[in-house]
Amino acid sequence: MKYLIILLALAGCSTTTDSIKPFPASLTYGGRSPIVNAPVGSSFSYDVRDEFGDRYQELYEVKADHTVRLVTRFKYSRSF
């Protein structure tokens, strides 16, 4: 029973790290990844709009080969 619980818990785990799909205006859209002159492991943000005009802030991390990886995305809330 103990092993069944462990297997069920592991079945829910995902090994993919690129689960966020980039927007067409994202830096990593279409498999491209710009080379940046920044320290490895550092991060930076980038503002982008989706196809509906909603604003997002994406957080990128600099990998060892100085390309970038999309880490997370935050949607700006609308203020009326």
Side-chain angles (χ1 to χ4, degrees), residues 2-22:
K2 180 171 115 178
Y3 295 109
L4 179 62
I5 294 172
I6 292 172
L7 286 175
L8 289 175
L10 289 176
C13 295
S14 175
T15 58
T16 60
T17 57
D18 297 328
S19 60
I20 301 173
K21 302 296 181 208

Side-chain angles (χ1 to χ4, degrees), residues 37-53:
N37 190 13
V40 173
S42 63
S43 60
F44 64 93
S45 62
Y46 181 71
D47 289 346
V48 65
R49 290 184 185 267
D50 67 359
E51 62 271 11
F52 305 109

Side-chain angles (χ1 to χ4, degrees), residues 2 5 7 15-17 20 24-25 30 34 36 39 41-42 48 53 56-57 59 62 65 69 72 74 76 80:
K2 180 171 115 178
I5 294 172
L7 286 175
T15 58
T16 60
T17 57
I20 301 173
V36 295
S42 63
V48 65
Y56 290 85
Q57 182 180 53
L59 182 67
V62 180
D65 60 355
R69 179 177 72 93
T72 190
F74 301 99
Y76 285 107
F80 295 99

